[in-house]
C-alpha cells in the first residue's frame, strides 16, 4: 500500500478538484429513476438477457448456448488523493459489476478525463498505472479507451466479461426464505469523508484501501451454485438502496439485522461525530419511504445504512442450505469479514432494519 500523500506533492489534492468522490458521485437514485422513465422504451432483443429494466449491475447479451457477454461501465471523481490508489479503486469498482452478474472479466477500456493544465502529467500517469495494476491482478488487459481534457479528474473502465447464460445472476431473483450475505465491511463513504477532513489516520486509510481494492472475484464461483438465487454489489446507493433493489425485483421484504453488519474500523465513531457524506441524505430522500427502521434507531444508524459504498461488497441472496458453501467461497478468497446480515421474507417491497 502506498503512503498517504496529502500535502507533500506541490500539485493540488485530487479530492480538492472534484465536487464529490467515488460512488458518492452517482446521480441520486430518485432523480436517476425519473430520468430513465423519460427514456424511449427499448426495442425487444431476444438475446438481451439483462437490460436496464431492473437496475441490474451490467448488461448481458447471449452469444450462443454456452456464452454471454457481460458489459458495464463505471467511472467517478477521486475518493482519495494518492493517484495510484485512485486508479486502483476505480478499476476494482468497475470490474465488480461483471463479477456481480456471475461473470469473469476478459478485457477493459480506460475512461479518462483529466484537467491537463492543472495536474502534473506524472500524477495522471499514476492514476492509469493504478487501474492497469488491478486489471493485471484480474488477469485482463486494458486494451484501449478514451480520454478528454476535463475540469474535474475522472477515471474508470468499460469492462467486458463472459458468463454462461444459465449462470447469470440477476438482482431480481431472490426467494422468500433466502439468507442475505454481505461480502465486505461497510463504511467507505464515512472514511472518505474523514479523509477529506484530515481526520483519517494511517491505519484507517489502509483499511479503506484494502477493502476498496479487493476484487469481488467470488462472484463467478458463487454464480455456479444452484442455491444462490440473486447477486448484486453494494455501491453508491448504500446498503439500503441496493437491498431495496433486491426487494423490488423479487417483490419481497428484505429484513436486515443491524447488529450483524460488518463495519470498517472507526466508522461508527466517525458517524456519531457527524463525519458523513451528503450522498447519505440524498439516498434517504430517494428511497426512505420504503424503509422501516426499528424505533430504537437514530439518525446515525440511518446515515450508516445509506452511506455510499465505493467498490463495496457482493450482496448474496441464497437458500439457507447454501450459506456454509457461500461463506466458504468468500473465506477462500480472503473475504474474512463476509457475514450473514438478514433474510428475504414474504411481504411488500421494502427493507426492514431490526
Amino acid at each position: 500500500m502506498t503512503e498517504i500523500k496529502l500535502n507533500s506533492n506541490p500539485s493540488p489534492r485530487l479530492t480538492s478538484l472534484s465536487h464529490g468522490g467515488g460512488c458518492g458521485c452517482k446521480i441520486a437514485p430518485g432523480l436517476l429513476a425519473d430520468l430513465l422513465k423519460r427514456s424511449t422504451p427499448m426495442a425487444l432483443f431476444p438475446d438481451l438477457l439483462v437490460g436496464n429494466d431492473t437496475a441490474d449491475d451490467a448488461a448481458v447479451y447471449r452469444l450462443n448456448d454456452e456464452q454471454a457477454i457481460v458489459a458495464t461501465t463505471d467511472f467517478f471523481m477521486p475518493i482519495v488523493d494518492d493517484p495510484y490508489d485512485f486508479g486502483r479503486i476505480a478499476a476494482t469498482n468497475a470490474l465488480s459489476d461483471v463479477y456481480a452478474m456471475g461473470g469473469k472479466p476478459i478485457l477493459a477500456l480506460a475512461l479518462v478525463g483529466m484537467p491537463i493544465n492543472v495536474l502534473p502529467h506524472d500524477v495522471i500517469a499514476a492514476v492509469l498505472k493504478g487501474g492497469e495494476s488491478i486489471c493485471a491482478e484480474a488477469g485482463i488487459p486494458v486494451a484501449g479507451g478514451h480520454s478528454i481534457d476535463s475540469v474535474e479528474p475522472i477515471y474508470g473502465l468499460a469492462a467486458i466479461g463472459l458468463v454462461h447464460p444459465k449462470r447469470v445472476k440477476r438482482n431480481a431473483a431472490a426467494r422468500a426464505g433466502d439468507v442475505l450475505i454481505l461480502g465486505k465491511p461497510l463504511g467507505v463513504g464515512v472514511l472518505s469523508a474523514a479523509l477529506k477532513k484530515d481526520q483519517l489516520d494511517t491505519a484507517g486509510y489502509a483499511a479503506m484501501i484494502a477493502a476498496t481494492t479487493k476484487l469481488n472475484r467470488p462472484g463467478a464461483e458463487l454464480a455456479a451454485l444452484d442455491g444462490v438465487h440473486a447477486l448484486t454489489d453494494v455501491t453508491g446507493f448504500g446498503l439500503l438502496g441496493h437491498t431495496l433493489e433486491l426487494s423490488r425485483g423479487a417483490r419481497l421484504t428484505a429484513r436486515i439485522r443491524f447488529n450483524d453488519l460488518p463495519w470498517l474500523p472507526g466508522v461508527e465513531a466517525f458517524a456519531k461525530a457527524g463525519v458523513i457524506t451528503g450522498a447519505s441524505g440524498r439516498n434517504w430522500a430517494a428511497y426512505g419511504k420504503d424503509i422501516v427502521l426499528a424505533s430504537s434507531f437514530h439518525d446515525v444508524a440511518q446515515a450508516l445504512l445509506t452511506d455510499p459504498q465505493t467498490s463495496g461488497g457482493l450482496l448474496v441472496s441464497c437458500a439457507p442450505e447454501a450459506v456454509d458453501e457461500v461463506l466458504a467461497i468468500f473465506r477462500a478468497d480472503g473475504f474474512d469479514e463476509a457475514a450473514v446480515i438478514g433474510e428475504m421474507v414474504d411481504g411488500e417491497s421494502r427493507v426492514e432494519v431490526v
Side-chain angles (χ1 to χ4, degrees), residues 48-273:
L48 182 64
L49 302 182
V50 182
N52 61 10
D53 53 317
T54 58
D56 228 315
D57 298 292
V60 181
Y61 192 91
R62 180 172 49 212
L63 298 177
N64 51 55
D65 291 343
E66 301 294 324
Q67 293 178 310
I69 286 283
V70 183
T72 184
T73 183
D74 213 312
F75 52 89
F76 46 61
M77 282 86 84
I79 189 175
V80 295
D81 293 306
D82 184 287
Y84 188 74
D85 284 344
F86 170 39
R88 294 169 67 212
I89 294 168
T92 307
N93 180 73
L95 295 179
S96 180
D97 286 339
V98 175
Y99 294 123
M101 301 305 300
K104 292 183 179 181
I106 57 173
L107 66 85
L109 305 174
L111 304 173
V112 185
M114 293 288 162
I116 298 300
N117 295 324
V118 175
L119 284 175
H121 293 181
D122 61 343
V123 170
I124 298 173
V127 175
L128 304 184
K129 287 180 180 178
E132 291 164 358
S133 74
I134 289 296
C135 288
E137 186 178 334
I140 65 171
V142 179
H146 185 65
S147 61
I148 61 170
D149 185 354
S150 65
V151 176
E152 296 181 282
I154 298 169
Y155 179 72
L157 300 175
I160 304 296
L162 288 176
V163 66
H164 193 288
K166 292 183 179 179
R167 289 185 176 178
V168 175
K169 297 298 180 181
R170 305 192 60 167
N171 66 357
R175 302 178 189 177
D178 274 2
V179 174
L180 294 175
I181 298 174
L182 180 63
K184 289 185 183 181
L186 299 162
V188 174
V190 170
L191 294 189
S192 69
L195 178 65
K196 270 199 166 185
K197 295 176 181 290
D198 287 332
Q199 296 181 20
L200 189 65
D201 61 18
T202 301
Y205 183 81
M208 182 176 73
I209 296 301
T212 53
T213 59
K214 190 165 185 58
L215 289 164
N216 278 323
R217 284 182 293 204
E221 192 171 351
L222 292 170
L225 299 182
D226 291 337
V228 171
H229 301 142
L231 195 60
T232 190
D233 60 353
V234 179
T235 55
F237 300 153
L239 176 65
L240 289 184
H242 293 285
T243 305
L244 184 59
E245 289 175 344
L246 288 181
S247 174
R248 287 170 173 167
R251 298 182 181 178
L252 297 170
T253 294
R255 186 169 294 146
I256 292 174
R257 296 186 294 275
F258 187 86
N259 289 336
D260 291 339
L261 295 175
W263 300 100
L264 288 165
V267 166
E268 293 174 279
F270 278 127
K272 288 177 182 177

Side-chain angles (χ1 to χ4, degrees), residues 1-83:
M1 201 233 9
T2 53
E3 294 181 356
I4 305 176
K5 298 173 183 174
L6 301 183
N7 299 308
S8 59
N9 194 316
S11 66
R13 290 177 63 167
L14 285 178
T15 54
S16 72
L17 299 176
S18 60
H19 72 281
C23 287
C25 299
K26 279 189 174 183
I27 294 175
L31 175 56
L32 179 60
D34 180 63
L35 293 173
L36 291 175
K37 286 178 183 177
R38 304 183 190 198
S39 301
T40 303
M42 186 183 300
L44 293 178
F45 294 88
D47 288 315
L48 182 64
L49 302 182
V50 182
N52 61 10
D53 53 317
T54 58
D56 228 315
D57 298 292
V60 181
Y61 192 91
R62 180 172 49 212
L63 298 177
N64 51 55
D65 291 343
E66 301 294 324
Q67 293 178 310
I69 286 283
V70 183
T72 184
T73 183
D74 213 312
F75 52 89
F76 46 61
M77 282 86 84
I79 189 175
V80 295
D81 293 306
D82 184 287

Side-chain angles (χ1 to χ4, degrees), residues 308-326:
Q309 302 305 290
T310 299
S311 191
L314 294 175
L315 180 61
V316 184
S317 182
C318 68
E321 58 269 22
V323 169
D324 288 344
E325 193 168 4
V326 169

Side-chain angles (χ1 to χ4, degrees), residues 269-284:
F270 278 127
K272 288 177 182 177
V275 181
I276 57 175
T277 72
S280 291
R282 292 194 298 272
N283 282 341
W284 181 259

